[in-house]
Amino acid sequence: MSDHDLPPARRDLARRYEAVRHHTLSLAEPLSIEDQSAQSMPDASPAKWHQAHTSWFFEALLLRPHLPGYQPLDDSYHYLFNSYYEGLGPRHPRPQRGLLTRPSLDQVRAYRQHVDLHIRQLIARCDDAQWAVIAPTLELGLHHEQQHQELLLTDALHLLSCHPWRPALLDSPPAPAPAGTSAWLRHEGGLVEIGHDAAAEGAGFAFDNEGPRHRVWLEPFEIASRLVTCGEFQRFIDDGGYREPRWWLSDGWATVQAQDWRAPLYWVDASDGDAAAGASGATSRWAVFGLHGLRPLDPAAPVMQLSFYEAAAYAEWAGARLPSEQEWEAASSLSGIAQLHDQAWQWTRSAYHPYPGFQPLEGAASEYNGKFMVGQLVLRGGSVATPPGHTRPTYRNFFPPAARWQFTGLRLARDARPRAETHA
Amino acid sequence: MSDHDLPPARRDLARRYEAVRHHTLSLAEPLSIEDQSAQSMPDASPAKWHQAHTSWFFEALLLRPHLPGYQPLDDSYHYLFNSYYEGLGPRHPRPQRGLLTRPSLDQVRAYRQHVDLHIRQLIARCDDAQWAVIAPTLELGLHHEQQHQELLLTDALHLLSCHPWRPALLDSPPAPAPAGTSAWLRHEGGLVEIGHDAAAEGAGFAFDNEGPRHRVWLEPFEIASRLVTCGEFQRFIDDGGYREPRWWLSDGWATVQAQDWRAPLYWVDASDGDAAAGASGATSRWAVFGLHGLRPLDPAAPVMQLSFYEAAAYAEWAGARLPSEQEWEAASSLSGIAQLHDQAWQWTRSAYHPYPGFQPLEGAASEYNGKFMVGQLVLRGGSVATPPGHTRPTYRNFFPPAARWQFTGLRLARDARPRAETHA
Amino acid sequence: MSDHDLPPARRDLARRYEAVRHHTLSLAEPLSIEDQSAQSMPDASPAKWHQAHTSWFFEALLLRPHLPGYQPLDDSYHYLFNSYYEGLGPRHPRPQRGLLTRPSLDQVRAYRQHVDLHIRQLIARCDDAQWAVIAPTLELGLHHEQQHQELLLTDALHLLSCHPWRPALLDSPPAPAPAGTSAWLRHEGGLVEIGHDAAAEGAGFAFDNEGPRHRVWLEPFEIASRLVTCGEFQRFIDDGGYREPRWWLSDGWATVQAQDWRAPLYWVDASDGDAAAGASGATSRWAVFGLHGLRPLDPAAPVMQLSFYEAAAYAEWAGARLPSEQEWEAASSLSGIAQLHDQAWQWTRSAYHPYPGFQPLEGAASEYNGKFMVGQLVLRGGSVATPPGHTRPTYRNFFPPAARWQFTGLRLARDARPRAETHA
Amino acid sequence: MSDHDLPPARRDLARRYEAVRHHTLSLAEPLSIEDQSAQSMPDASPAKWHQAHTSWFFEALLLRPHLPGYQPLDDSYHYLFNSYYEGLGPRHPRPQRGLLTRPSLDQVRAYRQHVDLHIRQLIARCDDAQWAVIAPTLELGLHHEQQHQELLLTDALHLLSCHPWRPALLDSPPAPAPAGTSAWLRHEGGLVEIGHDAAAEGAGFAFDNEGPRHRVWLEPFEIASRLVTCGEFQRFIDDGGYREPRWWLSDGWATVQAQDWRAPLYWVDASDGDAAAGASGATSRWAVFGLHGLRPLDPAAPVMQLSFYEAAAYAEWAGARLPSEQEWEAASSLSGIAQLHDQAWQWTRSAYHPYPGFQPLEGAASEYNGKFMVGQLVLRGGSVATPPGHTRPTYRNFFPPAARWQFTGLRLARDARPRAETHA
């Protein structure tokens, strides 16, 4: 079925649907069948599961309620591939996703095709009234799948990091990330507007947690023009950063000691006699594991795979602090700011809480974001693993403070004196 | 030694020192030697330990650095009674405070007297320059001891709650807490000032985390004139509140299931065949354990000993939400607001983070508050267990969201439409 | 290379080598690539790992030390596929075997062929002196691989039991196991000889833990002619067996309560609303999962997949006891005894300890059995999953008392009065 | 009431009752109220609890069923002080015995007097038929209390070992334990009789687990004339014994690594910078904590407070093994054997299992021993903490293989060639 006869809005969404769905497959391509089925820790999911779950999302929120006569490929998938939607019934326990050796990868691919076929039918056949209902959820499903594209990479990388071989996910070498000098960029603060304005013309998509747009008062601050680099973070380590409680929040210090942290998650210490590190050709003490395998530490590359605790400790050591999410968003339009969306998610000091007047989506999608609004910190920006076009300045990513396996880095901030005072 | 010859400022502080120190002893008085030595969980400390630690605080921060020739009563106490001050050296592990059968209670009382004697000397003998240095820390030590007075009661109550007898800490009956009708009080929002202003005339004492005073922008909101009562909370339970995931934050629901929560911590379900509950004379289903023992649920009494998760779930069920700490503080001066400081600490939806421009205290006291600023929620107000005069509108108490053994309750809030809109 | 030119002893062993190695592959055949890579719990290993480890055993104990010029296919396999041999160097942690997505199954099959090729060379080329050294270890390797054949099935079954589908490993229906009436068979006791006599003519292979042959004194006893059936065990359950502490050893009762045991591991209670159980066509309350999938409980089939604790509790309830391993071995030649080796391993009351004069094998193989001789119970017999010809009356299998995922059942025994006394 | 009018058998038991009960109090005497109330780990009980539980035993098994009109001092004690008797109803959880701050020590002492008073009445008033029923249980209660006398010391010592001060339980110095040379004593083996013969003339008391007397066949063996000393064990440590897996059973090695064991439980390594060790005046590397405090290692003293794993590893390193419990008992009458009952319990290689024909006691006492007969190892002998007269050659003590806080040591054994062979 060609999409040429569709109204432009439908055709555009249909084409993006195809592109997003295809991109997921291309990301999984370097992984073997076994790679795609294994689960390296309860927080991480198998690549096969991500491929199935993103299809389930379209099935559960669109096909089942909206496509007349829709027949699921397999009724049990509704249980197997629900992630955390209490309103959609019981689900397979998250820590046991790696035991779902069945359906096979081939069957999951067939499931994807089954869902794709019927989504195309739904787009083509629904009337305009239905389309008005369907389109926002279809759009949500695409952004949902893009989030899982990053998670697929993140989780696969964690799996490979657990293997003694430390195999490379990608054959190519990493793109160089010349850092240059970091500059302090100044923001005057005051009453600023933050968040997504759904009513604005050409507003585009945003998750419910990005709104409503609202006013906040900011004091003057300065923010770094780029992210903290591996070379800079290495100096923190060399200065005994991981052995000195004074830099750490109390929970962070307890975690450092309980988990014996000595460096970011994927840093490998050659002096530990790690065979893989030796094999990586590192001449310095540290090698760093990433999408391109284990490579000698690149001092100019942004430091990644660190927790909020480590980010906050580094900032303290550096005589600075993390920005709040409001500061980050206000600063995102400053001239000279770099590495906003393309290197690493940036820990902020802000807890992930609802904005004033926040209303979750209706129905099953109400569980998408709101129920996680405690115990997590907001990250802003985007990473090398974020699909192009997925993120934006109002985007709010979030993880618990001890999470380390994401593409997470940091950008420094500090208080600024008011201008008048400066001139005095 | 009489204090009549002291300058008024010193005399005032010296008298308050005596009063605070004496009050600690009076709180411990109903407890037996064994009661004062036991530790019911890692988060709770023995009453004996609280008595020693508050003395250690004065010794470590004042007598050792500032009283020439001071001889500690026992050098090992510096290790035994340090709580969490990394900068003051290693310390006895918190979960093993209940194993400190020695020093005996008598010896701890002697330690208190030893410290008291030398604090009096310090106050009397130091010159004015020294006094300027000492006085703020002495003041801090008194407020510190008052915090531990509440903790002593809280922890002792937890210990007694673990005993099959559920013995009463106090012989007297609880004061009646007539709730009356709860009214919604309106606040117009806008740019408001929050926090303690240390530079203001007659500012009085505040902890470092209460400042600096700063501006925040608030949207219009409404807040309840009183706390949620046991009777109201019972309706949430009767409506299946603890069995329905939709009211709960995700972490909260996981905790409800993992811990099998069915009611606030000290509610005893008579239908469980709990002997002590039966003995309490409860005619309803629930009895509630408290400072005055196990008593029939009083529908008008504020609900207490619940977690942030439970407070937030109740609010969701009630079609409301928790206030932010800024809303709470702004509302504290509204006409008609009741039960601000005298019943239960009130969970807010605000994470415990530093205010803009926050600077911790200097020296050892820098660890007092700042290093706990992640993973906790702010509580505002005060409780029946808070020493009179200890709290104030800018006061920021904080606990992790799952903590239940404190005197913690909730006050509802909700968004308000702007006035203009209302009149339209 | 044909084996026709080999001396008969070598040819015989070479042929058995081929047969055993081939049998392993045939057992794995019904499993998908994903099935063979997953690990369902720390105690269970992936089928792929079993296939690799059994090859590693030949490589590590024969090819590396004895085949001149042998080149391993991959040096890292020595680390990946060592199980527990401390003397052979460090090894991959057991609980993370399921994360070894690489090498792939294809690569493991190539590893098997690589080892097979060189074992054939070793057999063909070694001189007689070498053969005398090699042959016992080669024999040991075959019996080792047979043990892992049973474990491969056991572990695969556990994996499938964790899947909501409860898929069948084998398509065929189970062979009927008509139990008939159980009879008490009498043994007079006295001084009997137990264990493997390596010096006896035609002794055949035995593991080191089966010897030396030695005398033990037995009191008269009776032993059941067959195993306890599912129908009999169901009566224990119906009588409240899992709720009544009096039948249980203290550790067993603690485990029942902590793990909420209500039936043997693979019994599925239809009244729990288990979908798969309903689908199995069971008309009774219980369905039982096994190699042939989830099927209605067969009252005549031996009960399996139970722990020592459950076996001992059943025996207590039945007014009997478990046999000692010496009683079992002595009774194995009694006329009328059935189901010795072909249904389920039979828990004995004997701790797994060394026989008097026990000497472990030399070299790396010394770790094969001896170091496990504490904390485990001896099982005797063999099961439906034991490869034909692998077991014998002196065979000592062993597992911790809480282990449930093996093909383990029970045979009753009881004390007998001496004959004279009986006649009195 | 005088006991002069009692029949001799009653009078004798009554006097022993008084002596045993008094001895318990004298053991607790050096401990403070706080010492007697604290619980240092789930396996250890507070001294106050031991004093109450031993009274409860008399009350529950004698006074309640046999003394007409008996009124318990407090009904709740039946719940608080039951240890593990499922047949006598629910009980306070073992890990929370340290939270039983009430009843106070004074109240527990009053409970003891209440029980004593009524036991005296029971002895005085019952008729001969009743006496025949009562006397064995009264005797059992005395031996039970003696077991708890040792446990009271053991548990108190563990509590004190957890305190940074490492306070001495006893003021006096330890008695010297001159070890002398250890000799190998030979036993010819053969058919020997083992266990308590209840029917023998003048049999005396024994626990049910010591019988029935029965025959076992032993191979010839040799046994050490004395226990392994601290000096000998230090050589094992110096030789890297705790770092070398080859000496260890697999479970033992896993425990060494998981718990970071480097020496017996109460050995303190001065090179660790342990303040208390430095203060003990030790000139060697090690100091050893015991009933008399922390003292320099005495090379001639028996090594104690070690686990079965450590005992077995030492024996392996020494080219010997542990005796079986049957060997130990058979050897106990050999000429020249020393340190049988007065230094440390001696780990045997024998699992704690029922003897052939074992019958537990009737009624509640049936739970005394039998239900623990899995997962534990038998210890023979007695220790410095065993009350005089309590133990005997048939006595079977038992603990899990990882238990370290008891007064447990080891005596070596080894296989012997048959005499004829030796002479050949």
Side-chain angles (χ1 to χ4, degrees), chain B residues 52-357:
Chain B
H53 164 69
T54 46
S55 305
W56 167 90
F57 190 89
F58 288 110
E59 183 180 64
L61 275 75
L62 285 175
L63 298 180
R64 285 175 180 263
H66 294 297
L67 183 62
Y70 174 71
Q71 294 294 329
L73 187 62
D74 187 311
D75 273 330
S76 74
Y77 291 2
H78 194 60
Y79 172 88
L80 297 180
F81 300 124
N82 181 357
S83 53
Y84 56 64
Y85 293 85
E86 301 278 352
L88 295 174
R91 71 218 69 90
H92 191 69
R94 181 183 187 114
Q96 294 176 29
R97 289 177 184 165
L99 303 188
L100 294 177
T101 56
R102 307 183 187 197
S104 69
L105 183 57
D106 280 347
Q107 289 171 309
V108 165
R109 295 284 167 84
Y111 178 44
R112 290 183 68 86
Q113 291 172 2
H114 181 82
V115 167
D116 290 347
L117 179 70
H118 291 91
I119 287 288
R120 286 179 204 121
Q121 288 181 4
L122 182 66
I123 295 174
R125 295 178 187 172
C126 70
D127 61 27
D128 285 353
Q130 285 178 306
W131 177 250
V133 172
I134 287 164
T137 303
L138 188 58
E139 180 86 52
L140 178 65
L142 293 180
H143 291 267
H144 171 260
E145 180 139 355
Q146 287 185 311
Q147 291 186 310
H148 279 276
Q149 286 168 356
E150 176 153 1
L151 292 174
L152 187 157
L153 287 179
T154 314
D155 294 351
L157 189 62
H158 187 266
L159 171 68
L160 297 177
S161 81
C162 296
H163 197 291
W165 291 355
R166 291 207 178 77
L169 183 64
L170 304 177
D171 285 339
S172 57
T181 309
S182 183
W184 286 111
L185 309 177
R186 180 182 176 94
H187 190 287
E188 292 303 328
L191 200 59
V192 301
E193 291 213 333
I194 292 293
H196 179 76
D197 183 2
E201 197 178 314
F205 174 83
F207 289 111
D208 55 1
N209 64 3
E210 299 175 51
R213 190 161 179 84
H214 62 286
R215 284 163 288 189
V216 297
W217 180 269
L218 297 182
E219 301 298 322
F221 67 95
E222 294 181 330
I223 197 163
S225 63
R226 63 154 170 80
L227 306 191
V228 171
T229 63
C230 287
E232 289 164 346
F233 202 86
Q234 187 174 8
R235 286 197 285 280
F236 169 66
I237 297 175
D238 291 345
D239 193 39
Y242 281 85
R243 295 190 306 272
E244 178 52 68
R246 103 180 91 156
W247 309 125
W248 296 82
L249 289 158
S250 181
D251 286 359
W253 181 242
T255 307
V256 164
Q257 293 183 293
Q259 309 282 334
D260 198 21
W261 285 358
R262 304 180 192 191
L265 180 60
Y266 291 156
W267 287 33
V268 175
D269 187 342
S271 68
D272 281 350
D274 186 293
S280 74
T283 54
S284 76
R285 178 179 166 200
W286 297 104
V288 178
F289 182 68
L291 293 170
H292 305 271
L294 189 67
R295 293 179 174 269
L297 181 144
D298 174 359
V303 62
M304 290 200 262
Q305 274 86 30
L306 44 63
S307 65
F308 169 82
Y309 297 137
E310 290 159 293
Y314 176 87
E316 185 76 16
W317 172 82
R321 60 171 174 82
L322 300 179
S324 71
E325 65 166 323
Q326 291 83 6
E327 289 173 339
W328 193 99
E329 186 170 329
S332 67
S333 56
L334 289 176
S335 169
I337 199 156
Q339 298 182 330
L340 275 178
H341 297 295
D342 55 348
Q343 293 295 327
W345 293 96
Q346 295 142 55
W347 287 107
T348 74
R349 74 194 303 178
S350 299
Y352 177 52
H353 285 180
Y355 283 165

Side-chain angles (χ1 to χ4, degrees), chain D residues 309-333:
Chain D
Y309 297 136
E310 290 159 292
Y314 177 86
E316 185 76 16
W317 172 81
R321 60 171 174 80
L322 300 179
S324 71
E325 64 166 323
Q326 292 83 6
E327 289 173 338
W328 192 100
E329 187 171 330
S332 67
S333 56

Side-chain angles (χ1 to χ4, degrees), chain C residues 281-338:
Chain C
T283 54
S284 76
R285 178 179 167 200
W286 296 105
V288 178
F289 182 67
L291 293 170
H292 305 270
L294 189 66
R295 294 177 174 271
L297 180 145
D298 175 0
V303 63
M304 290 200 262
Q305 273 87 31
L306 45 63
S307 65
F308 170 82
Y309 297 137
E310 290 159 292
Y314 176 88
E316 186 76 15
W317 173 82
R321 60 170 173 83
L322 300 179
S324 71
E325 64 167 325
Q326 292 84 4
E327 289 173 338
W328 192 99
E329 187 171 328
S332 68
S333 57
L334 288 176
S335 169
I337 199 155

Side-chain angles (χ1 to χ4, degrees), chain A residues 15 76 166 284 315 393:
Chain A
R15 288 182 180 174
S76 73
R166 291 208 179 77
S284 75

Side-chain angles (χ1 to χ4, degrees), chain A residues 301-325:
Chain A
V303 63
M304 290 199 261
Q305 273 87 31
L306 44 64
S307 65
F308 169 82
Y309 297 136
E310 290 159 293
Y314 176 87
E316 185 76 16
W317 172 82
R321 60 170 173 82
L322 300 180
S324 72
E325 64 166 326

Side-chain angles (χ1 to χ4, degrees), chain C residues 361-381:
Chain C
L361 293 169
E362 302 273 313
S366 67
E367 298 187 53
Y368 201 101
N369 274 311
K371 73 181 184 181
F372 301 106
M373 288 178 173
V374 71
Q376 314 219 31
L377 280 297
V378 174
L379 299 112
R380 291 300 192 102

